[in-house]
Amino acid sequence: MSTSPKPAPIYKLRIRGDALLEAPRWNKGTAFTAAERAAFGLTGRLPYAVNTLDEQCARAYDQLRAQDNDLQKNAFLQSLKEQNFVLYYGLLERHLRELMPIIYTPTEVSSREYLCVMMGSEATYDQADAIAQYSHLFRRSEGMYLTFANQDTMEEDFLEQARGRDIDLIVCSDAEAILGIGDQGVDSRHALFDQLFTRLIGAVDPSKTLPVTLDVGTNNEELLGDKLYVGWQHKRVRGEEYDRFVDKFVQLVRKYLPKSLLHFEDFGVSNAQRLLSLYRDKHPVFNDDVQGTGAVTLAALMSAVGVTKSRLADQRIVIFGAGSAGLGIAHQLRDAIVAADGISEEEANERFWLIDRYGLIKQSLGAEHIRSGMEAFVRSDNAWAGPATGDVQAQANEYGSFGLLDVVRAVHPTVLIGTSTRGGAFTEDVVRTMATHVERPIIFPLSNPSRLCEVHPHEANEWTDGRALIATGSPFPNAKMPNGKEYVIAECNNALIYPGLGLGAIVSRARALSDKMIIAGAQRLAALSPALRDPDNALLPDFAESPSVNFEVAVAVAQAAIAEGLAGPEEKDWGVEEVREKVRERAWRPVYGEFVYDEDGEA
């Protein structure tokens, strides 16, 4: 991505004085110039010195480092975001790798831990036990809240925030499946986190984004019994009532913001794929849990296949964990195999063995144990009546199916993917059995957080004598190879691709985000793999490179939209270089604009 600075934007504003300093979208703090201070009544409201953004970031970073632990650092950053948007994103941009886990940490800690830190060392666990993380620490709302109980006024509530705005990206969530902690009711901060990184890494202008919480209740008993819970205190709405509520929201997006990209985030397993399939041909929609995870996994696999000098169609792929992520990965890889190697969808399906809590997904499990969307990957019972592998006879479980080790013994997979959240599920027996039959085993334990990872990558490296090609869902330190060389563990992080997928769709004004567009983004990410230059290097680029990586992904996605005839009328005739220039022009970076006072200004 070009580093040539773009001219500072010029904004005409009508707000002055304290109102300007209290607006995080516009506040510059000590970076207001002398002329701006005079024009907006700020001269006596600020100390004399005028600082650059770099100087402000250095000061904020020193203040951040003075915090005692990551939870206090997170609270400092949230406070900074509420004061000054540009400074907040500028600080993150300068320290992206260091700060990403800090702003994400509270989703992996209990409210007890969080409160004890916030209240200081004097806080007791008894005090903390009484407090739920989101509702009890609630300070101000972010984005739009559409509640089932208020559905009769949904259109009016929607227009209160959407009317007259140029929105590129909407991130919506019903918070049923927040990463690692499940149903959180009205707390959709993980969706907001994804939007934050789409803004920063994908270079989407924050003023053109809208986070939306769809509050349809919660089945979290702790929240239902909490008098201070800020959401709708009701059991989750299901079935037709749920579908009508979500559809009413989607139709409002289509009616009033037809050019926006609608990003579904953290929906439950019964809704994620279903809603994506329902709306993807009607509006540009994307589900990170289904498509983002699948796309970055596809890129890592393409990289690994490049190292092994094989084809996608040559792989035997076992996926352990067939929820939204696992099934999304299976569909994404299957579609890529069809596109890349020219075989039929039915033939490609035969490359997959999916395992969930009932065991291998096969016909005899019956409809009650085979979730909708899995049908294409159901194995025939004829091939799984109890296969003998060497001296070991596979033993059927209580559901008449087979577990991971038996499947590995019978299939000799070249690829083993974990999305089960079952820490340690890839045992030494499983990994060594796989490595016995494959020269370069491809092992992706993707479950988050790290304690739920199916195998520690250092153990996978040891049990395969350094032959495994590994990508994980959480960051891990390098592993030692038998020859003493360090093996870089790739982090299969959705943020390496989904911001670029979104930006490419936005810039091209695509009327849909198609499979071909996603595959094009994955191919571009895979082409940037360090492992293609050094087989012992990481399968994916370092997360610190994600802004430049997502720029390349966005260009590839926009080009694919044009080639597929999905781009907007003004964008459909762009050439390759014009696409790159348009993406570069559209990319937002955290820099201060120049302010001019105008009684008719935009704010």
Side-chain angles (χ1 to χ4, degrees), residues 24-311:
R25 170 75 176 87
W26 304 110
N27 182 27
K28 297 185 187 182
T30 57
F32 280 107
T33 65
E36 289 171 334
R37 296 180 189 205
F40 290 93
L42 302 176
T43 303
R45 287 180 166 91
L46 292 168
Y48 179 79
V50 175
N51 292 129
T52 65
L53 179 58
D54 282 335
E55 290 168 341
Q56 287 182 315
C57 285
R59 179 189 296 123
Y61 186 62
D62 287 342
Q63 294 169 350
L64 178 75
R65 295 180 65 189
Q67 307 303 311
D68 291 335
N69 52 58
D70 285 353
L71 290 175
Q72 289 185 348
K73 290 177 181 178
N74 177 276
F76 171 82
L77 289 168
Q78 294 306 311
S79 176
L80 183 62
K81 182 172 66 172
E82 294 170 6
Q83 298 172 52
N84 185 328
F85 250 30
V86 171
L87 178 54
Y88 173 71
Y89 287 110
L91 181 63
L92 292 182
E93 184 179 60
R94 287 159 174 78
H95 305 280
L96 186 59
R97 169 172 280 282
E98 176 185 354
L99 299 186
M100 180 197 173
I102 292 173
I103 62 174
Y104 199 43
T105 295
T107 63
E108 294 186 18
V109 300
S110 67
S111 57
R112 164 189 306 220
E113 292 174 282
Y114 194 93
L115 186 70
C116 286
V117 172
M118 293 300 103
M119 295 179 67
S121 58
E122 298 83 8
T124 67
Y125 283 128
D126 289 339
Q127 288 171 305
D129 282 340
I131 297 184
Q133 184 176 345
Y134 181 71
S135 293
H136 290 257
L137 296 174
F138 184 85
R139 289 177 291 187
R140 65 188 298 270
S141 62
E142 290 187 83
M144 180 185 294
Y145 293 83
L146 300 177
T147 305
F148 186 85
N150 297 331
Q151 60 182 303
D152 290 344
T153 62
M154 183 190 289
E155 185 165 9
E156 178 184 339
D157 297 337
F158 181 87
L159 289 175
E160 280 291 333
Q161 293 193 57
R163 184 186 287 112
R165 292 183 61 187
D166 181 14
I167 301 293
D168 285 333
L169 173 68
I170 301 168
V171 184
C172 73
S173 177
D174 71 357
E176 185 178 7
I178 301 290
L179 177 66
I181 55 175
D183 185 347
Q184 294 301 301
V186 77
D187 181 5
S188 59
R189 280 174 305 152
H190 188 249
L192 298 178
F193 172 84
D194 279 332
Q195 187 209 51
L196 182 156
F197 271 89
T198 304
R199 290 169 174 174
L200 179 61
I201 298 170
V204 177
D205 186 341
S207 68
K208 297 184 177 183
T209 61
L210 178 63
V212 179
T213 296
L214 301 176
D215 186 357
V216 294
T218 179
N219 290 338
N220 184 323
E221 293 296 336
E222 182 180 351
L223 298 179
L224 289 172
D226 184 352
K227 293 180 180 180
L228 294 184
Y229 176 57
V230 297
W232 184 44
Q233 214 152 17
H234 191 282
K235 283 285 188 179
R236 273 192 178 271
V237 174
R238 300 289 190 188
E240 292 183 5
E241 285 188 316
Y242 175 90
D243 288 347
R244 284 196 298 270
F245 179 76
V246 173
D247 186 67
K248 188 173 184 178
F249 162 68
V250 174
Q251 298 312 322
L252 289 174
V253 171
R254 296 183 66 199
K255 179 179 179 179
Y256 293 107
L257 301 171
K259 296 181 180 180
S260 64
L261 174 66
L262 179 57
H263 178 166
F264 291 113
E265 180 69 26
D266 293 327
F267 282 76
V269 67
S270 62
N271 293 317
Q273 181 67 57
R274 185 176 65 85
L275 292 175
L276 176 64
S277 300
L278 179 62
Y279 293 113
R280 67 177 308 183
D281 293 329
K282 302 173 183 177
H283 187 86
V285 297
F286 178 68
N287 186 305
D288 177 43
D289 303 306
V290 176
Q291 296 167 293
T293 302
V296 74
T297 305
L298 170 59
L301 182 56
M302 286 177 166
S303 172
V305 166
V307 172
T308 61
K309 309 297 183 185
S310 57
R311 303 183 307 156

Side-chain angles (χ1 to χ4, degrees), residues 414-455:
T414 58
V415 181
L416 181 58
I417 297 172
T419 54
S420 67
T421 67
R422 284 182 54 187
F426 294 174
T427 63
E428 184 172 357
D429 275 351
V430 167
V431 174
R432 288 194 182 276
T433 299
M434 179 185 184
T436 299
H437 304 283
V438 181
E439 178 61 29
R440 296 300 303 266
I442 300 170
I443 302 177
F444 295 170
L446 301 181
S447 290
N448 283 306
S450 55
R451 60 184 170 81
L452 301 181
C453 187
E454 285 77 11
V455 64

Side-chain angles (χ1 to χ4, degrees), residues 334-544:
R334 188 271 313 277
D335 293 344
I337 290 172
V338 172
D341 296 324
I343 65 175
S344 69
E345 187 173 296
E346 292 73 21
E347 289 176 301
N349 289 337
E350 290 298 313
R351 272 65 174 173
F352 293 86
W353 289 260
L354 272 60
I355 303 171
D356 69 2
R357 58 179 171 162
Y358 302 113
L360 177 71
I361 304 300
K362 64 188 191 75
Q363 290 173 337
S364 61
L365 283 177
E368 67 273 21
H369 295 141
I370 299 176
R371 190 164 48 80
S372 176
M374 292 183 178
E375 295 83 0
F377 303 104
V378 176
R379 305 300 301 194
S380 167
D381 279 318
N382 293 333
W384 289 97
T389 55
D391 296 329
V392 180
Q393 179 72 35
Q395 297 296 316
N397 62 22
E398 60 184 298
Y399 303 103
S401 191
F402 301 92
L404 177 60
L405 182 57
D406 287 329
V407 173
V408 170
R409 284 171 173 160
V411 172
H412 301 168
T414 58
V415 181
L416 181 58
I417 297 172
T419 54
S420 67
T421 67
R422 284 182 54 187
F426 294 174
T427 63
E428 184 172 357
D429 275 351
V430 167
V431 174
R432 288 194 182 276
T433 299
M434 179 185 184
T436 299
H437 304 283
V438 181
E439 178 61 29
R440 296 300 303 266
I442 300 170
I443 302 177
F444 295 170
L446 301 181
S447 290
N448 283 306
S450 55
R451 60 184 170 81
L452 301 181
C453 187
E454 285 77 11
V455 64
H456 194 292
H458 293 187
E459 293 178 329
N461 181 68
E462 177 186 346
W463 297 337
T464 60
D465 300 318
R467 293 183 286 119
L469 297 167
I470 304 170
T472 59
S474 298
F476 283 93
N478 298 345
K480 281 286 186 182
M481 303 284 284
N483 61 7
K485 185 178 179 181
E486 287 198 340
Y487 178 68
V488 182
I489 307 297
E491 183 182 353
C492 211
N493 191 315
N494 298 16
L496 284 170
I497 192 167
Y498 80 76
L501 295 175
L503 183 61
I506 289 168
V507 171
S508 64
R509 292 294 183 191
R511 62 178 180 271
L513 182 55
S514 69
D515 291 333
K516 289 182 179 178
M517 292 165 65
I518 294 172
I519 291 172
Q523 287 174 327
R524 184 61 187 134
L525 175 57
L528 300 173
S529 166
L532 298 182
R533 299 184 296 275
D534 176 358
D536 293 330
N537 211 328
L539 292 174
L540 293 171
D542 189 275
F543 182 76

